[in-house]
Amino acid sequence: LADPDVRSVVIRAEHPELDRALQEGMEEIVLDGVPMSVRLHLTMHEVVGTQLADDDPPEVYLTARRLVAAGYERHEVLHMLAAPMAAQIHAALRENREYDRSRHLAALADLPASWEQQRAQRKLGRGDPTGRHAGRRRRRR
């Protein structure tokens, strides 16, 4: 999926509910009681797809392989890889910080522990009031 146009079509095809929401002019949807920006979600998939296609940083691909080998589903892995980049973007927008490669790589290295910790917090009711927005579950081996 090196071609960004093809990648965009594939990402939207993998998210038919989000594609429909965009076609209906919806910018935000509520998923399991949690509001979600449709465009931001799709954009984060594109960011991770570009990182993987460009092998930049190479640690993104290595982390993806490690997480898939640990039994996580491909789509959840993409969400896991997006989380550290989302934190970088948030810091740039909210705190006027530049991209911090070492922080990004450290966050990738901390996967899946940081992801599982967030999942546990959501189940305890810290974040998602329903406790159901934990993303896709780990595959059973």
Side-chain angles (χ1 to χ4, degrees):
L1 298 176
D3 183 317
D5 294 329
V6 172
R7 188 168 48 247
S8 182
V9 169
V10 169
I11 289 167
R12 287 178 76 152
E14 289 184 333
H15 296 84
E17 70 286 2
L18 300 182
D19 193 41
R20 273 192 305 281
L22 282 178
Q23 291 173 8
E24 294 171 8
M26 298 171 63
E27 292 294 321
E28 189 175 88
I29 64 170
V30 176
L31 182 64
D32 293 331
V34 178
M36 178 179 75
S37 167
V38 174
R39 289 189 192 283
L40 179 58
H41 186 91
L42 295 172
T43 299
M44 291 310 301
H45 272 278
E46 295 218 22
V47 167
V48 171
T50 300
Q51 289 176 327
L52 290 167
D54 294 349
D55 197 29
D56 184 26
E59 291 83 358
V60 171
Y61 178 74
L62 296 171
T63 302
R65 286 185 49 130
R66 180 171 53 80
L67 295 170
V68 168
Y72 289 92
E73 293 179 278
R74 184 187 68 81
H75 193 251
E76 184 174 22
V77 168
L78 294 174
H79 284 210
M80 294 166 93
L81 296 172
M85 198 63 227
Q88 290 286 322
I89 292 169
H90 185 268
L93 295 174
R94 297 286 183 176
E95 301 164 19
N96 202 28
R97 288 196 328 218
E98 292 186 15
Y99 172 73
D100 185 335
R101 181 180 173 86
S102 60
R103 180 175 278 175
H104 184 200
L105 299 184
L108 290 171
D110 195 35
L111 292 170
S114 59
W115 184 260
E116 293 298 343
Q117 181 180 13
Q118 288 176 1
R119 178 180 290 175
Q121 288 175 344
R122 284 189 299 265
K123 282 184 179 181
L124 292 173
R126 294 184 204 133
D128 174 17
T130 66
R132 295 181 292 160
H133 190 67
R136 294 202 165 115
R137 302 285 185 230
R138 187 174 175 186
R139 283 192 319 235
R140 302 235 186 257
R141 291 183 142 228

